Amino acid sequence: MLAVYTGLCSLCSRPSSTLGSNLQALLDASGTPRLPNAQVTFVLSSRSNAYGLTRAQNQSIPTSVCALKTYLNRHPGATREDYDAEVARLVVESKPDLVVLAGWMHILSDRFLDIVNVPCINLHPALPGAFDGAQAIERAYEAFKRGDIHHTGVMVHRVIKEVDRGEPLVVRQVDIGPGDSLEDLETRIHKVEHEIIVEAARLLT
Ligand SMILES: Nc1nc2c(c(=O)[nH]1)N[C@@H](CN(C=O)c1ccc(C(=O)N[C@@H](CCC(=O)O)C(=O)O)cc1)CN2
Ligand SMILES: NCC(=O)N[C@@H]1O[C@H](COP(=O)([O-])[O-])[C@@H](O)[C@H]1O
């Protein structure tokens, strides 16, 4: 079973119809030889307009929204860590064997990691230790234009407290061409993402 996070990648400049595309890759692979032992059983988003929710609902998969600002407004005095504990409670309630972050754009504190006692993995559009954090594709593209790098990559890694520093499980290099636009690179990276997120989920289920 998979409890899958999908959050609107607020940094994405892509049209809304492509959001949740990595969740869709998992949905499409579930029950096939590419991902024979896993089903997406729950989708949680931090944004109510995340298209991944629609993708899940189209397949009658339970969904939930837990927005940070809404949670803090409804719980005066609550902290970001309290929010993480609420997110963890929702995840644990779905009894997953694996939690997949695909466009979940909140840094999770130990409160989450201490409560969720199953493996948690994250899809990150960069090579290990290269561009940790948000806007990794844009930063890699700028570094390429400066001549600092000649390629970038994508990885799926275990989630630990240190952002994007968990054990890499699947890593793929992505080349950048001299005439590439940022959109060209994004398109190439997303294609690889859709492959390795399934590969990583298969490794752990
Ligand atoms: N404890 C961990 N939490 C998360 C990890 C992780 O490895 N360990 N991975 C991230 C995903 N991610 C990169 O892969 C990432 C996403 C967002 C940010 C970030 O700076 N977020 C800001 C808010 C940005 C926004 O809301 O638009 C923040 O949390 O303040 C960094 C890395 C998921 N969580
Ligand atoms: N740092 C985390 C991060 O940047 N995650 C990125 O969010 C996008 C989600 O796309 P999707 O909604 O189409 O699956 C993906 O490109 C993923 O690499």
Side-chain angles (χ1 to χ4, degrees):
M1 290 191 300
L2 295 178
V4 181
Y5 268 26
T6 181
L8 175 65
C9 179
S10 59
L11 304 176
C12 288
S13 55
R14 289 174 289 133
S16 60
S17 62
T18 61
L19 288 179
S21 66
N22 285 283
L23 167 63
Q24 192 62 53
L26 290 168
L27 293 171
D28 294 346
S30 295
T32 75
R34 294 176 63 225
L35 190 58
N37 307 319
Q39 295 295 326
V40 178
T41 55
F42 177 58
V43 174
L44 173 67
S45 180
S46 61
R47 306 286 177 103
S48 58
N49 61 345
Y51 192 66
L53 294 168
T54 303
R55 295 177 189 271
Q57 289 153 7
N58 287 344
Q59 299 195 21
S60 306
I61 293 170
T63 63
S64 187
V65 177
C66 189
L68 174 59
K69 285 181 181 173
T70 305
Y71 176 83
L72 295 178
N73 289 338
R74 287 179 179 167
H75 301 84
T79 66
R80 176 88 179 245
E81 286 73 17
D82 294 330
Y83 168 76
D84 288 353
E86 173 63 7
V87 170
R89 184 188 67 78
L90 291 166
V91 168
V92 169
E93 203 168 56
S94 72
K95 297 184 173 59
D97 298 313
L98 174 67
V99 178
V100 180
L101 307 187
W104 179 264
M105 299 307 286
H106 287 306
I107 297 172
L108 294 163
S109 65
D110 277 341
R111 284 288 294 280
F112 173 89
L113 299 170
D114 292 345
I115 295 171
V116 174
N117 57 356
V118 296
C120 182
I121 61 176
N122 176 61
L123 172 67
H124 184 57
L127 293 173
F131 297 99
D132 295 344
Q135 298 191 306
I137 302 174
E138 295 84 340
R139 289 186 283 141
Y141 183 72
E142 290 310 313
F144 171 77
K145 302 292 274 186
R146 291 194 304 272
D148 294 347
I149 62 172
H150 302 291
H151 62 266
T152 184
V154 191
M155 67 170 167
V156 178
H157 63 88
R158 292 187 188 276
V159 174
I160 62 174
K161 182 177 181 179
E162 292 72 27
V163 175
D164 298 331
R165 287 303 170 117
E167 173 201 359
L169 297 169
V170 183
V171 182
R172 195 79 59 77
Q173 177 177 306
V174 176
D175 293 331
I176 311 173
D180 278 349
S181 65
L182 173 58
E183 289 69 26
D184 293 333
L185 178 58
E186 286 180 330
T187 300
R188 192 172 304 124
I189 281 182
H190 296 321
K191 183 174 183 298
V192 173
E193 289 181 331
H194 301 158
E195 295 166 4
I196 70 170
I197 196 162
V198 173
E199 218 175 297
R202 186 171 67 244
L203 284 176
L204 296 181
T205 55

